[in-house]
Amino acid sequence: MQRYKNYVHGQPLSNQSGEVFEVINPATAEVIYQVEVADEFIQNAAIQSAKQGFAKWSAMSGMERQRVLNKAVQLLREHNDELAKIEVLDTGKPWQEASVVDVVTGADSIEFFAGLAPSIEGTQQDLAGDFYYTRKEPLGICAGIGAWNYPLQIACWKSAPALACGNAMIFKPSEETPLGAIKLAEIFTQAGLPDGVFNVVQGDANVGQWLTHNPEIAKVSFTGEVSTGKKVMQASASSLKSVTMELGGKSPLIIFDDADIEQAVSAAMLGNFYTQGEICTNATRVFVHQDVYPVFVKRLLERIENNIIAGDPMDPKVNFGALISKKHHQLVLDYIRSGLEEGASLLTGGEAIQPHSAPHGYFVAPTVFADCRDQMKIVREEIFGPVMCLLTFSDEQEVIERANNTDYGLAAGVFTQNIQTAHRVIHQLQAGICWINAYGASPAEMPVGGYKLSGIGRENGMETLQAYTQTKSVYVGLNPLESPF
Ligand code: NDP
């Protein structure tokens, strides 16, 4: 069986404890490889290496950093299919998606920030003879901690701004999907990134906790659940690390009576069944205007019936994959049971499925509940699986209040042909990522992140540069120094 090591200082590094964990392909339930846990030896080595990497990388010009990062972008694109396959085997998501989204959007983010690297600059202001200038300096060693749904993309989205600004990063992927980050590290090395600028440490929450408690680390960028995010923030407070938090959601999609129904159905399906429902921005609360509700439901069910193909995720025809683990599979089924117990009407799905081509995988059928009420557990809590909750409304103000009645605030969508309605409603929704007559697109240029419990800070977009630099003000005296002493 293939055994992968941690990646430290430009190469794989063996641990001393001999401890390993196993990675399972969710579509087959089989162990596919082993990974060594980052023990104390690896942890110390990763820090020492990152210090050296940081010293070298931060001394390079923005142009030099841009060239290295762009080379990595080129290599990512050249290896798209090989990397996409790793993501399919690790996550259970369809090849159809991974081959056109995961590596592509990861590379885009690195390309975007590579382009900005030479433009990072300070300011200068005259002060009656004296003057001051500012420098935008990197923070030092940043930690990235990733979730399992978009492993390689998350590693790219976190390393891109960090590295563009001259920082080093120690990245810990989810224990369930550890390989993509190692491959990214190899590509960075091949592209000419100095050793130690991007190290990968493997393991579970213990390794994550070590990173968040370590005083040598200046910042933590975390993607995961709200409850873990709170722990990460608490631990980070011990040395006042800055944090970026990309957390969960329970996002509303509001479909008005003048919406293009075919398009709205597309959005609802994308926002609930893409990556078999394991996307943080999912539109899991679909509010449909009561006048178009019957036609919306009819088309939704027809399209689920005719267009969703579950099965071996490597089959290019398959567009609906397996959930990440047996545990998560059970959790999603438990939520479905709770929906039934609370009186929601199951329109389709609601059960585990064993597709012919992947009979042992952790599949749950695309599920739609009608007659949902705002108080139901399935409407309030993040399920992170293919479970859509339909709710009806008749009044604009009422639906805005109901959409906002959640502790989350990650994303929101509105479908209407009326330009005034669209913007008026979006401006009142408490969410950081909003779509009008669209859903799910997240280009590198667009900052993304949550309101309320869904997060702190943003990824992608120009403003993310601020989160990976600190301002040094330098006052320069040209006048004689006045002193009362
Ligand atoms: P978790 O919060 O369980 O884990 C996220 C990462 O944190 C993993 O690498 C995990 O390690 C690690 N970790 C766990 N405990 C700690 C700790 N105490 N200290 C430091 N690190 C720790 O999230 P999931 O992996 O289950 O991912 C699903 C969640 O991620 C969903 O809530 C989803 O909404 C959210 N998400 C948010 C996104 C966004 O951009 N807003 C994007 C994608 C997902 P390990 O798993 O190896 O134990």
Side-chain angles (χ1 to χ4, degrees):
M1 168 137 334
Q2 180 83 33
R3 183 168 161 167
Y4 291 94
K5 302 178 198 301
N6 292 273
Y7 195 92
V8 178
H9 217 60
Q11 58 190 336
L13 184 65
S14 301
N15 68 7
Q16 288 185 342
S17 65
E19 200 187 337
V20 294
F21 60 91
E22 294 183 329
V23 177
I24 291 172
N25 175 349
T28 61
E30 281 169 359
V31 176
I32 44 176
Y33 59 91
Q34 294 181 328
V35 180
E36 295 189 1
V37 174
D39 58 5
E40 212 180 317
F41 168 73
I42 295 286
Q43 295 173 5
N44 290 334
I47 292 284
Q48 290 317 315
S49 148
K51 279 186 188 170
Q52 290 173 32
F54 173 68
K56 202 163 175 186
W57 183 240
S58 59
M60 285 165 67
S61 71
M63 282 296 274
E64 288 170 315
R65 292 200 297 267
Q66 179 190 41
R67 282 188 206 115
V68 172
L69 294 175
N70 275 337
K71 178 72 185 159
V73 170
Q74 184 198 332
L75 290 167
L76 278 165
R77 290 183 180 145
E78 279 170 22
H79 293 275
N80 181 76
D81 288 6
E82 176 200 326
L83 297 166
K85 186 175 173 197
I86 288 170
E87 297 302 84
V88 173
L89 299 182
D90 273 9
T91 64
K93 69 171 65 182
W95 164 261
Q96 209 186 81
E97 292 179 16
S99 59
V100 296
V101 172
D102 294 54
V103 190
V104 172
T105 54
D108 281 355
S109 181
I110 300 179
E111 188 174 37
F112 175 76
F113 285 106
L116 294 175
S119 316
I120 297 168
E121 60 184 8
T123 56
Q124 182 276 331
Q125 195 175 11
D126 288 344
L127 299 163
D130 294 354
F131 70 99
Y132 84 89
Y133 65 95
T134 60
R135 289 166 52 80
K136 287 288 180 189
E137 297 187 350
L139 307 174
I141 308 173
C142 303
I145 301 178
W148 42 256
N149 60 341
Y150 278 80
L152 180 71
Q153 187 212 58
I154 291 173
C156 291
W157 283 21
K158 294 197 185 305
S159 57
L163 270 46
C165 294
N167 300 282
M169 174 164 270
I170 301 179
F171 189 82
K172 189 200 91 64
S174 164
E175 213 188 0
E176 272 147 339
T177 56
L179 193 46
I182 298 179
K183 293 291 165 190
L184 176 63
E186 288 172 3
I187 281 178
F188 275 141
T189 300
Q190 224 182 317
L193 191 75
D195 295 343
V197 179
F198 186 75
N199 292 331
V200 178
V201 292
Q202 302 284 5
D204 61 9
N206 290 319
V207 177
Q209 280 169 10
W210 161 71
L211 282 170
T212 56
H213 281 101
N214 194 304
E216 307 270 16
I217 287 175
K219 176 188 171 75
V220 179
S221 176
F222 172 81
T223 297
E225 291 171 18
V226 173
S227 57
T228 321
K230 288 180 181 173
K231 289 182 203 158
V232 166
M233 222 174 140
Q234 209 167 8
S236 300
S238 63
S239 57
L240 290 183
K241 297 177 188 21
S242 71
V243 291
T244 298
M245 294 273 150
E246 295 292 338
L247 309 176
K250 194 73 191 176
S251 302
L253 171 63
I254 303 175
I255 297 160
F256 282 93
D257 51 357
D258 63 348
D260 178 325
I261 295 301
E262 243 359 82
Q263 294 277 304
V265 169
S266 294
M269 290 179 74
L270 276 170
N272 281 275
F273 304 137
Y274 204 71
T275 316
Q276 55 288 332
E278 296 167 325
I279 297 187
C280 52
T281 50
N282 265 359
T284 44
R285 295 182 294 144
V286 181
F287 292 93
V288 188
H289 192 283
Q290 62 185 19
D291 292 353
V292 291
Y293 185 74
V295 54
F296 177 88
V297 171
K298 179 170 175 291
R299 279 304 289 146
L300 175 68
L301 295 179
E302 281 169 4
R303 285 176 59 179
I304 291 174
E305 168 88 25
N306 297 328
N307 300 343
I308 291 194
I309 306 170
D312 173 5
M314 279 308 292
D315 178 343
K317 288 195 294 299
V318 164
N319 58 17
F320 188 83
L323 296 177
I324 187 69
S325 64
K326 192 170 180 183
K327 188 171 156 217
H328 190 58
H329 184 250
Q330 190 54 51
L331 187 83
V332 172
L333 291 173
D334 289 347
Y335 270 113
I336 290 172
R337 206 188 53 237
S338 119
L340 292 169
E341 283 168 5
E342 287 193 278
S345 308
L346 188 63
L347 297 186
T348 185
E351 60 190 1
I353 46 173
Q354 281 94 35
H356 187 63
S357 57
H360 305 297
Y362 309 127
F363 291 84
V364 169
T367 297
V368 179
F369 277 117
D371 302 319
C372 295
R373 290 187 313 279
D374 296 349
Q375 302 73 22
M376 288 176 174
K377 193 172 163 183
I378 51 167
V379 180
R380 285 183 291 109
E381 297 184 12
E382 183 182 48
I383 301 174
F384 224 56
V387 183
M388 186 190 304
C389 294
L390 295 178
L391 303 129
T392 56
F393 74 97
S394 54
D395 175 72
E396 181 180 308
Q397 212 47 46
E398 167 217 327
V399 77
I400 291 169
E401 278 164 29
R402 290 169 64 198
N404 286 337
N405 188 17
T406 166
D407 291 336
Y408 292 113
L410 190 57
V414 169
F415 269 75
T416 171
Q417 303 284 347
N418 183 313
I419 193 170
Q420 281 92 350
T421 307
H423 294 286
R424 187 174 59 236
V425 172
I426 282 289
H427 293 181
Q428 294 175 76
L429 292 176
Q430 296 160 356
I433 313 167
C434 293
W435 289 284
I436 294 173
N437 295 337
Y439 209 88
S442 197
E445 299 91 324
M446 185 172 101
V448 286
Y451 281 19
K452 303 198 280 190
L453 289 191
S454 289
I456 296 175
R458 295 292 175 269
E459 290 193 316
N460 285 337
M462 292 272 284
E463 71 179 76
T464 298
L465 289 179
Q466 299 299 332
Y468 286 93
T469 51
Q470 50 195 341
T471 303
K472 177 176 282 174
S473 295
V474 183
Y475 186 104
V476 181
L478 296 181
N479 295 311
L481 185 62
E482 281 181 25
S483 167
F485 308 112

